[in-house]
Amino acid sequence: MYIIKVKGKAKIPDYIQIRDENFVLVAYFRADRPLKNIEKFGLEGKEKELASLIQELPFGKLQKLDI
């Protein structure tokens, strides 16, 4: 899976996209709110790691999600 942080403009907040190996969008959520139903993506128990990754993630750079 891959992750990218999208910069919001004006009143639109920053968003996070999680994409699968074929780059199909599987999750789209606000960067300042936790992801709900995280277990659907096999990331249960890794909320802290995901939160710290989101904080450090540069805008607009697609990265492989390895946590």
Side-chain angles (χ1 to χ4, degrees):
M1 291 199 323
Y2 296 89
I3 187 167
I4 187 170
K5 190 175 189 180
V6 180
K7 179 76 174 162
K9 292 184 179 183
K11 293 183 179 182
I12 300 170
D14 300 338
Y15 274 87
I16 301 297
Q17 293 181 6
I18 297 180
R19 295 183 174 266
D20 67 7
E21 290 75 28
N22 296 320
F23 299 104
V24 175
L25 184 66
V26 294
Y28 185 72
F29 57 94
R30 286 178 57 162
D32 61 345
R33 293 191 182 158
L35 175 61
K36 294 180 179 143
N37 302 324
I38 199 165
E39 63 278 351
K40 288 196 295 186
F41 312 110
L43 298 172
E44 63 275 351
K46 299 179 182 177
E47 292 87 357
K48 289 183 181 181
E49 292 92 344
L50 187 59
S52 66
L53 175 67
I54 289 171
Q55 288 288 353
E56 299 169 3
L57 195 63
F59 288 104
K61 185 173 180 186
L62 187 69
Q63 292 186 355
K64 186 131 177 96
L65 183 57
D66 290 322
I67 57 171

